[in-house]
C-alpha cells in the first residue's frame, strides 16, 4: 500500500503517549483515534522542532550552526520555517505564541547529524528517463566508486531483469567499457518476429573504446601515480581516436560483429543485420541505425513530386542524375556517386528534419547512408516507423527524445490514484529514488503539454516524492498557442493565451508540488556528442574532427524570434548551449528580447518583469580556443559579466558530469586548452556570477552529494581505468564545499525564480530539508574518510517536503519488482512544551 505523506499531528493526538510513531500510513491509525478529536487536532497549528545537530542554512550569510557550540534548532509551523535560533529562544517563542491552545509539538533529534536545505535538481528529464528504461541499457560504466552505488540505488531502473551486484567485485557487471560489448549485448536480445525493432540506449563512443581485442596499453593506476597517469593519457587519446572509424560508418559495426577485429564475436546470430536497429547515444544528440532501419522509414524508395522538390528551395543544388523525367525524385539510400548521394541527403534533410542530418559514406565503390544520425530531429522517420510496427505498441521511442518534433500518437496516459500505467509508475519511482539522494525539488528541463498532464497525474495521486517544476519546450507550446489563436473568438492577447498554460508555484490546486512558469529552447547540440556550437572547430587530432565546428539549432536572431512572444508574456527561459558560440548567441538573444541596453531591474521594480526574472544558460560548457584570458577569466565569463549589467539574474548551470565522466574525452575532442576551462566555476565565483550544478538525467545519474565532490575535486578518469579517485582536470577551477552546496540549493532556487520560497533554511521559507549522516563541510581534510574525495560516501538519512517526511521505497526490493517501504531513520516524538 502506498504510504501517504502525512503530518504527525493528525495521527498522534494529545491523549496519545509521547513517542507515538509519526511516520507512515494514516489509515492504519484511523480506527484508534476519535473522529471528532482528530478533526480538532487537524485545525491546530502543526509544530515541529528539530534540534541536536549541525544546520547548514545556505542563506545569504552562509550561516552554519554547530550543535556542540550553538545549541541551535529549527522551528516549523505548518509548512513554514518560523525560526532558526537557539533552543532557548525557540522555547520562549512556543510558550508565548502557542501555549494557550494546548497544541502538541513534534520533535526530531538529529543526534549529531546535519540538516540542510533539500537539493534542487535544476535540469533533468523525468519522462525521457522513464521511457529509456524500457529498452536495453548500453551505457558506459561509471568510475568504480560511483558505479557501486548506482547499482544499489538505480539498479531497478537501469538494469531491468538483471541481477544487481552490490559488492565491489561485480561493480562492472551491468555496464560497458567497449562499443563492441555493448552491441553484443543488444545482439543477444530475444527476437520473436521478423520485423521486430531492436532499440538500445546509452552507447557512448566518447568514453567507450572500440574493442577489448585491440589490446590498448593501459597501466593500472589505483594510487593515481602522476607518471602512470601521463602514460595513460597518451594511450587514451590514441585509443579514443579508433572510434573515428565507428562514427564514420556505424552501420558497418552494427551489422557485422567481426568488424571489431580478430577477437570479435563470431558465433552469435546476425540479428543486428536482419532486423531494424536504432541505438541512441548517451549524449542524446546522436543516433545509430542499420540499413534495415533506413528501409523501414520508407525514405529509400519514396518519390517526391516536381512541385515538392521545388518547394524545398535547394537552388538547383541537386545532381541531375537523380531527377526523373517528370521532374520528380525517387529517394535512395545508396547511389553510384557521391554527388547523387549528397543530393538525396540534402533533400531528406530539407524535407524531413531541417536541423538534423544523416551522414553518408563510401562503401565498396558505392555511396550510402553511414548509419550516423545527427541531432534528434533526424530520428523522427525512425520513430514514426517504430510507431507503425506491429510489435512496438508499448515502445514509445518518441518519449525518449527531448526536443524532436514527432507526430506520433502514443497510448493515452491512465490517470487515477491506483494507476498502473508503466511509464507513470517508473516516473514515480524515479522521484522517490531521487528523494533518497536528497532531492526535494526536481526540475523537468523541457516538457510538452502532454508531459505536464502526466506530472499532474503524479501530483494529484499524492505519489510525488519531490516537488516538480517544469519548463515547456518552446516549439510544443508555440504550436499549441497557434492552435488556440485560430480557435479563439474573443481575440485574447498573447499573454492571456499563454497564461492559461502556466501553473504558478502558489497554485491553490497543486500547492507548490507542481509548477510550470518557464520555457526551454535548445540552441546547439552536445559537447561530447561532437555537436556543440563552437567558434573554432573541434580539435583536428581528436575524435570529433569530422564534425567541424559542431551544430547550430538556432542562431542569435532565430532564438530571439522564436521566444519573443514568451518574453512579452512573463515567462523565464532556460537555453541549452554547450559551445562558446552557442553560449554567446543565447546570451545575445536574451539581451535582444529585453529591448533595452540599460538595466531595467531596480530594487523597487517588479521582480516578475522580463529584465528581473532569472534566465539560465544550461550546460554553458566550452570556452574559446583562442582565449587569452586576463587573470585567468575566460571570455565566456566576461560575457556573463557584461550581460548581467542588463539582466542581473542571468546565470549558468553546469553539467558536472562533463568533468567527472567526460573530462578526459573533452581533452581529446577540444584540445587541452579548452578542456581545462570547461565549466569554469571558480572564475564565475570570483566574478560574482552564481552557478548551479545539474545531472541532465538520464545523461548522467542523479546524485547531488556526488556533484559536491566533483565540483570540489574536478577529478576525472581515463577509460577504462576507473579505479581509485581519478585526477583533476584543472584544479584551479575547483570550488569550496560551501559554494558547491549553494550550487545545489539556493542558486537553482534563484534560477527558477522560487528563491523566496525554497533553497535555504531561514525564516519565512517552506520547510524543505534533508538530514545527512555527516556534515559535508567537514570533508576538507587529509584524514582518510574526511577528504574531499570521500564526500560521495555521505548518506542522506531522510527528506522532508513542506515539513512532511517522505516515505522511501526499499530500492533493493524495487529491483525485484516489490514495492516495500523502509523504516525511517528520522523518528519523531510528540509532547507538550
Amino acid at each position: 500500500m502506498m504510504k501517504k505523506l502525512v503530518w504527525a499531528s493528525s495521527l498522534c493526538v494529545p491523549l496519545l503517549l509521547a513517542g507515538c510513531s509519526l511516520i507512515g500510513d494514516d489509515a492504519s491509525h484511523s480506527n484508534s483515534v476519535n473522529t471528532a478529536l482528530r478533526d480538532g487536532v487537524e485545525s491546530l497549528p502543526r509544530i515541529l522542532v528539530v534540534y541536536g545537530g549541525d544546520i547548514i542554512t545556505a542563506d545569504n550569510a552562509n550561516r552554519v550552526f554547530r550543535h556542540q557550540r550553538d545549541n541551535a534548532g529549527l522551528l516549523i509551523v505548518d509548512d513554514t520555517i518560523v525560526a532558526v535560533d537557539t533552543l532557548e529562544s525557540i522555547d520562549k517563542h512556543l510558550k508565548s505564541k502557542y501555549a494557550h491552545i494546548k497544541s502538541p509539538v513534534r520533535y526530531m533529534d538529529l543526534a549529531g547529524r546535519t540538516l540542510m536545505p533539500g537539493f534542487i535538481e535544476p535540469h533533468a528529464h523525468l519522462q525521457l528517463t522513464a521511457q529509456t528504461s524500457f529498452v536495453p541499457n548500453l551505457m558506459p560504466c561509471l568510475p568504480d566508486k560511483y558505479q557501486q552505488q548506482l547499482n544499489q540505488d538505480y539498479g531497478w531502473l537501469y538494469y531491468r531483469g538483471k541481477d544487481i551486484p552490490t559488492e565491489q567485485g561485480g561493480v562492472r557487471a551491468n555496464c560497458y567499457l567497449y562499443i563492441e560489448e555493448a552491441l553484443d549485448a543488444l545482439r543477444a536480445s530475444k527476437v520473436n518476429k521478423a520485423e521486430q525493432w531492436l532499440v538500445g540506449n546509452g552507447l557512448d563512443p566518447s568514453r567507450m573504446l572500440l574493442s577489448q581485442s585491440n589490446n590498448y596499453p593501459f597501466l593500472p593506476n589505483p594510487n593515481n601515480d602522476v607518471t602512470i597517469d601521463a602514460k595513460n593519457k597518451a594511450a587514451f587519446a590514441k585509443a579514443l581516436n579508433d572510434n573515428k572509424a565507428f562514427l564514420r560508418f556505424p552501420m558497418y559495426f552494427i551489422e557485422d560483429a567481426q568488424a571489431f577485429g580478430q577477437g570479435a564475436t563470431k558465433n552469435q546470430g546476425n540479428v543486428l543485420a536482419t532486423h531494424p536497429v536504432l541505438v541512441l547515444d548517451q549524449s542524446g544528440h546522436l543516433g545509430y541505425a542499420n540499413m534495415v532501419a533506413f528501409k523501414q522509414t520508407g525514405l529509400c524508395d519514396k518519390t517526391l513530386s516536381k512541385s515538392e522538390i521545388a518547394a524545398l528551395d535547394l537552388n538547383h543544388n541537386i545532381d541531375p542524375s537523380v531527377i526523373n523525367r517528370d521532374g520528380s525524385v525517387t529517394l535512395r539510400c545508396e547511389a553510384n556517386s557521391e554527388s547523387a548521394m549528397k543530393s538525396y541527403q540534402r533533400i531528406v534533410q530539407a524535407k524531413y528534419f531541417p536541423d538534423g542530418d544523416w551522414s553518408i559514406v563510401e562503401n565498396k565503390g558505392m555511396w550510402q547512408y553511414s548509419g550516423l544520425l545527427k541531432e534528434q530531429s533526424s530520428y523522427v522517420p525512425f520513430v514514426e516507423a517504430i510507431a507503425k510496427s506491429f510489435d512496438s505498441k508499448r515502445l514509445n521511442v518518441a518519449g525518449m527524445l527531448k526536443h524532436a518534433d514527432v507526430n506520433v500518437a502514443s497510448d493515452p496516459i491512465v490517470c487515477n490514484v491506483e494507476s498502473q500505467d508503466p511509464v507513470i509508475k517508473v516516473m514515480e519511482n524515479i522521484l522517490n529514488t531521487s528523494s533518497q539522494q536528497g532531492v526535494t525539488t526536481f526540475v523537468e528541463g523541457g516538457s510538452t503539454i502532454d508531459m505536464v498532464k502526466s506530472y499532474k497525474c503524479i501530483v494529484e495521486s499524492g505519489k510525488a516524492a519531490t516537488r516538480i517544476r517544469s519548463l515547456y519546450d518552446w516549439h510544443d507550446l508555440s504550436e499549441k498557442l497557434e492552435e488556440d489563436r485560430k480557435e479563439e473568438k474573443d481575440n485574447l492577447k498573447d499573454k492571456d493565451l499563454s497564461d492559461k498554460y502556466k501553473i504558478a508555484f502558489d497554485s491553490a490546486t497543486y500547492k507548490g508540488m507542481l509548477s510550470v512558469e518557464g520555457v526551454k529552447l535548445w540552441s546547439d547540440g552536445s559537447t561530447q556528442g561532437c555537436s556543440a556550437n563552437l567558434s573554432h572547430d573541434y580539435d583536428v587530432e581528436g575524435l570529433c574532427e569530422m564534425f567541424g565546428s559542431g551544430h547550430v539549432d538556432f542562431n542569435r536572431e532565430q532564438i530571439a524570434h522564436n521566444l519573443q512572444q514568451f518574453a512579452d508574456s512573463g515567462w523565464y527561459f532556460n537555453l541549452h548551449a554547450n559551445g562558446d558560440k552557442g553560449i554567446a548567441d543565447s546570451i545575445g538573444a536574451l539581451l535582444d528580447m529585453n529591448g533595452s541596453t540599460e538595466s531595467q531591474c531596480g530594487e523597487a521594480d517588479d521582480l516578475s518583469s522580463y529584465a528581473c526574472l532569472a534566465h539560465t544558460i544550461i550546460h554553458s560548457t566550452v570556452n574559446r580556443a583562442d582565449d587569452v584570458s586576463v587573470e585567468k577569466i575566460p571570455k565566456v565569463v566576461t560575457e556573463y559579466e557584461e550581460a548581467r549589467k542588463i539582466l542581473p539574474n542571468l546565470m549558468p548551470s553546469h553539467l558536472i558530469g562533463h568533468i567527472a565522466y567526460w573530462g578526459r574525452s573533452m581533452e581529446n575532442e577540444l584540445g587541452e586548452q579548452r578542456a581545462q576551462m570547461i565549466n569554469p566555476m571558480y572564475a564565475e565565483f570570483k566574478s560574482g556570477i552564481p552557478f548551479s550544478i545539474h545531472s541532465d538525467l538520464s545523461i548522467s545519474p542523479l546524485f547531488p552529494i556526488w556533484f559536491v565532490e566533483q565540483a570540489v575535486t574536478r577529478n576525472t578518469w581515463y577509460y577504462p581505468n576507473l579505479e581509485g579517485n581519478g585526477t583533476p582536470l584543472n584544479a584551479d577551477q575547483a570550488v569550496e564545499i560551501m559554494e558547491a552546496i549553494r550550487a545545489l540549493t539556493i542558486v537553482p532556487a534563484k534560477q527558477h525564480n522560487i528563491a523566496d520560497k525554497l533553497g535555504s533554511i531561514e525564516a519565512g521559507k517552506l520547510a524543505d530539508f534533508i538530514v545527512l549522516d555527516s556534515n559535508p563541510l567537514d570533508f576538507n581534510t587529509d584524514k582518510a574518510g574526511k577528504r574531499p574525495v570521500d564526500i560521495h560516501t555521505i548518506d542522506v538519512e531522510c527528506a522532508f517536503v513542506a515539513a512532511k517526511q517522505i516515505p522511501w521505497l526499499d530500492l533493493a526490493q524495487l529491483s525485484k519488482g516489490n514495492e516495500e517501504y523502509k523504516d525511517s531513520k528520522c523518528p519523531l516524538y510528540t509532547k507538550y512544551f
Side-chain angles (χ1 to χ4, degrees):
M1 184 176 183
M2 172 64 193
K3 289 190 177 182
K4 296 180 181 179
L5 315 185
V6 295
W7 268 97
S9 57
S10 67
L11 310 181
C12 303
V13 297
L15 298 180
L16 299 181
L17 295 175
C20 167
S21 172
L22 298 169
I23 309 299
D25 187 348
D26 55 352
S28 64
H29 299 270
S30 58
N31 293 333
S32 64
V33 180
N34 176 273
T35 301
L37 183 57
R38 185 175 65 245
D39 291 343
V41 171
E42 286 284 357
S43 68
L44 296 175
R46 295 160 173 166
I47 303 170
L48 171 63
V49 176
V50 186
Y51 67 96
D54 292 357
I55 300 174
I56 299 173
T57 65
D59 63 6
N60 288 337
N62 280 339
R63 292 181 300 162
V64 177
F65 296 92
R66 295 285 186 170
H67 72 284
Q68 293 178 331
R69 178 192 66 199
D70 301 315
N71 194 32
L74 195 65
L75 172 61
I76 299 165
V77 178
D78 291 328
D79 61 356
T80 303
I81 299 169
V82 171
V84 187
D85 210 333
T86 64
L87 292 181
E88 181 181 8
S89 296
I90 288 174
D91 187 59
K92 289 180 179 178
H93 184 94
L94 285 171
K95 290 177 178 177
S96 65
K97 295 287 186 180
Y98 300 107
H100 65 287
I101 60 175
K102 303 293 184 183
S103 177
V105 176
R106 302 173 307 147
Y107 290 86
M108 182 170 75
D109 185 354
L110 292 172
R113 296 172 295 182
T114 298
L115 180 147
M116 64 171 287
F119 293 123
I120 297 174
E121 165 54 70
H123 178 78
H125 301 280
L126 181 56
Q127 185 165 312
L128 162 72
T129 304
Q131 290 284 3
T132 55
S133 72
F134 290 95
V135 302
N137 168 35
L138 307 181
M139 292 190 292
C141 297
L142 298 181
D144 290 349
K145 70 176 189 175
Y146 299 137
Q147 186 68 40
Q148 183 177 17
Q149 190 173 350
L150 181 76
N151 291 348
Q152 292 172 346
D153 290 3
Y154 285 94
W156 67 269
L157 174 68
Y158 290 122
Y159 307 119
R160 286 175 175 271
K162 295 185 178 182
D163 292 329
I164 309 302
T166 57
E167 300 301 324
Q168 188 66 36
V171 70
R172 300 182 189 176
N174 292 316
C175 57
Y176 305 101
L177 294 173
Y178 301 93
I179 295 173
E180 177 186 13
E181 65 174 339
L183 290 178
D184 278 348
L186 187 61
R187 188 174 284 110
S189 300
K190 287 185 178 181
V191 176
N192 300 317
K193 299 176 182 177
E195 297 180 4
Q196 179 177 325
W197 277 80
L198 297 174
V199 179
N201 178 64
L203 193 74
D204 190 356
S206 71
R207 283 188 284 170
M208 294 171 166
L209 304 184
L210 193 64
S211 171
Q212 193 167 8
S213 65
N214 287 4
N215 296 318
Y216 301 112
F218 292 104
L219 300 172
N221 191 18
N223 298 316
N224 301 319
D225 181 273
V226 175
T227 302
I228 295 176
D229 190 64
K231 292 179 179 178
N232 282 338
K233 180 177 181 178
F236 176 73
K238 184 177 184 300
L240 194 62
N241 280 347
D242 286 348
N243 289 349
K244 290 182 182 181
F246 177 82
L247 291 176
R248 288 193 183 101
F249 198 1
M251 189 183 297
Y252 170 55
F253 291 90
I254 292 172
E255 294 183 346
D256 187 353
Q258 298 187 44
F260 290 95
Q262 294 296 319
T265 302
K266 297 180 175 61
N267 298 321
Q268 287 185 323
N270 199 25
V271 295
L272 298 192
T274 57
H275 290 70
V277 175
L278 175 64
V279 176
L280 305 180
D281 188 272
Q282 177 71 352
S283 71
H285 290 263
L286 297 177
Y288 313 100
N290 67 354
M291 186 56 75
V292 181
F294 275 87
K295 291 179 178 178
Q296 288 288 315
T297 68
L299 300 182
C300 291
D301 56 8
K302 184 177 180 64
T303 299
L304 300 181
S305 68
K306 181 179 180 179
S307 61
E308 287 178 296
I309 295 297
L312 298 178
D313 193 24
L314 294 174
N315 299 320
H316 307 290
N317 196 12
I318 300 176
D319 188 319
S321 69
V322 307
I323 301 176
N324 300 325
R325 289 184 178 181
D326 62 357
S328 65
V329 173
T330 302
L331 300 175
R332 304 296 182 195
C333 287
E334 61 179 7
N336 291 320
S337 69
E338 180 180 12
S339 176
M341 196 65 225
K342 283 186 174 179
S343 295
Y344 295 133
Q345 181 189 36
R346 292 187 188 106
I347 293 169
V348 169
Q349 181 185 33
K351 177 71 173 177
Y352 296 101
F353 39 89
D355 69 335
D357 193 14
W358 290 348
S359 292
I360 62 174
V361 68
E362 184 180 15
N363 180 34
K364 299 179 181 179
M366 295 285 288
W367 284 84
Q368 64 171 79
Y369 288 121
S370 73
L372 177 65
L373 318 176
K374 299 179 181 179
E375 294 306 309
Q376 289 193 358
S377 66
S378 73
Y379 310 168
V380 171
F382 298 91
V383 172
E384 293 175 342
I386 291 172
K388 295 174 184 176
S389 175
F390 62 88
D391 67 299
S392 305
K393 184 176 181 181
R394 290 304 315 174
L395 182 56
N396 180 12
V397 180
M400 302 179 197
L401 307 185
K402 289 184 286 189
H403 62 292
D405 182 18
V406 183
N407 295 314
V408 174
S410 58
D411 293 345
I413 291 291
V414 178
C415 184
N416 56 58
V417 174
E418 298 301 327
S419 170
Q420 296 301 309
D421 184 276
V423 178
I424 290 282
K425 292 293 292 182
V426 173
M427 287 193 287
E428 291 169 357
N429 292 340
I430 290 171
L431 293 177
N432 197 283
T433 306
S434 65
S435 171
Q436 298 189 41
Q437 315 315 323
V439 175
T440 54
T441 297
F442 185 108
V443 178
E444 164 60 61
S447 299
T448 62
I449 302 292
D450 286 339
M451 287 167 67
V452 170
K453 290 178 182 177
S454 70
Y455 301 153
K456 289 179 179 178
C457 288
I458 294 171
V459 172
E460 289 170 0
S461 69
K463 296 179 182 178
T466 75
R467 300 181 189 275
I468 303 173
R469 187 161 175 84
S470 188
L471 300 96
Y472 284 117
D473 173 88
W474 78 275
H475 189 262
D476 186 75
L477 185 56
S478 294
E479 287 194 332
K480 187 61 179 175
L481 292 179
E482 188 57 35
E483 291 175 9
D484 291 349
R485 289 186 190 98
K486 292 178 181 178
E487 297 176 1
E488 183 55 59
K489 297 179 181 179
D490 297 330
N491 296 317
L492 292 177
K493 295 179 180 179
D494 282 352
K495 184 179 187 305
D496 297 323
L497 284 173
S498 68
D499 274 356
K500 73 178 183 178
Y501 293 103
K502 285 185 181 178
I503 302 175
F505 186 91
D506 55 2
S507 157
T509 301
Y510 297 106
K511 298 178 173 60
M513 292 303 295
L514 174 66
S515 54
V516 192
E517 300 181 85
V519 171
K520 169 73 178 296
L521 177 143
W522 284 258
S523 76
D524 70 352
S526 160
T527 310
Q528 68 272 23
C530 304
S531 55
N533 180 12
L534 306 173
S535 60
H536 296 72
D537 286 357
Y538 279 96
D539 193 272
V540 295
E541 296 182 357
L543 177 66
C544 298
E545 54 90 13
M546 63 180 277
F547 292 80
S549 60
H551 178 81
V552 181
D553 279 8
F554 303 106
N555 61 28
R556 176 172 178 165
E557 292 74 20
Q558 291 167 329
I559 295 169
H561 174 76
N562 292 336
L563 297 181
Q564 188 67 62
Q565 64 171 321
F566 302 114
D568 296 340
S569 299
W571 297 81
Y572 73 94
F573 296 123
N574 278 194
L575 303 185
H576 165 117
N578 271 299
D580 64 292
K581 184 62 168 65
I583 297 167
D585 278 0
S586 296
I587 291 175
L590 290 170
L591 291 170
D592 293 344
M593 287 185 285
N594 186 49
S596 174
T597 58
E598 297 181 357
S599 176
Q600 298 173 304
C601 185
E603 290 184 5
D605 288 337
D606 179 7
L607 294 179
S608 66
S609 69
Y610 173 82
C612 296
L613 284 170
H615 305 291
T616 305
I617 308 299
I618 298 296
H619 305 327
S620 192
T621 309
V622 186
N623 293 285
R624 292 177 61 93
D626 63 345
D627 191 5
V628 181
S629 303
V630 177
E631 297 182 353
K632 296 186 178 181
I633 302 298
K635 181 175 176 58
V636 167
V637 175
T638 63
E639 289 174 345
Y640 276 106
E641 286 184 295
E642 289 301 311
R644 280 169 58 85
K645 295 175 182 177
I646 311 300
L647 301 174
N649 294 313
L650 171 66
M651 292 171 265
S653 182
H654 298 299
L655 172 54
I656 195 65
H658 277 154
I659 295 169
Y661 314 132
W662 286 278
R664 299 308 178 193
S665 298
M666 299 289 188
E667 285 184 318
N668 170 275
E669 296 176 348
L670 298 167
E672 189 160 342
Q673 179 184 345
R674 279 185 289 185
Q676 291 288 308
M677 294 302 287
I678 64 171
N679 297 354
M681 292 178 286
Y682 183 73
E684 290 165 349
F685 168 68
K686 292 292 286 185
S687 299
I689 301 169
F691 58 86
S692 70
I693 301 171
H694 63 262
S695 70
D696 202 16
L697 187 75
S698 64
I699 306 307
S700 77
L702 178 47
F703 285 96
I705 289 290
W706 296 5
F707 303 165
V708 174
E709 175 180 301
Q710 291 163 0
V712 169
T713 67
R714 285 181 68 97
N715 280 354
T716 187
W717 285 257
Y718 296 110
Y719 278 68
N721 283 10
L722 299 179
E723 74 281 0
N725 289 314
T727 51
L729 180 70
N730 189 6
D732 288 345
Q733 286 303 315
V735 296
E736 297 295 328
I737 295 171
M738 181 60 83
E739 288 309 310
I741 289 173
R742 292 179 65 83
L744 290 155
T745 54
I746 187 60
V747 176
K750 291 177 179 178
Q751 290 179 339
H752 290 286
N753 297 285
I754 49 176
D756 59 324
K757 303 173 179 70
L758 300 173
S760 60
I761 302 296
E762 52 188 317
K765 291 198 175 183
L766 292 171
D768 287 15
F769 62 89
I770 58 176
V771 175
L772 308 179
D773 68 350
S774 303
N775 190 329
L777 298 175
D778 294 338
F779 286 69
N780 59 352
T781 72
D782 293 326
K783 181 181 178 182
K786 289 291 186 181
R787 301 168 299 174
V789 294
D790 300 319
I791 292 173
H792 72 281
T793 64
I794 297 172
D795 284 333
V796 180
E797 303 271 71
C798 54
F800 286 72
V801 174
K804 298 176 184 179
Q805 185 168 357
I806 305 301
W808 282 350
L809 289 164
D810 185 323
L811 299 177
Q813 289 298 317
L814 189 60
S815 71
K816 300 174 184 177
N818 304 320
E819 283 198 13
E820 299 179 9
Y821 286 84
K822 299 178 180 180
D823 292 333
S824 170
K825 290 185 178 181
C826 296
L828 287 74
Y829 63 91
T830 301
K831 68 176 184 178
Y832 287 113
F833 48 84

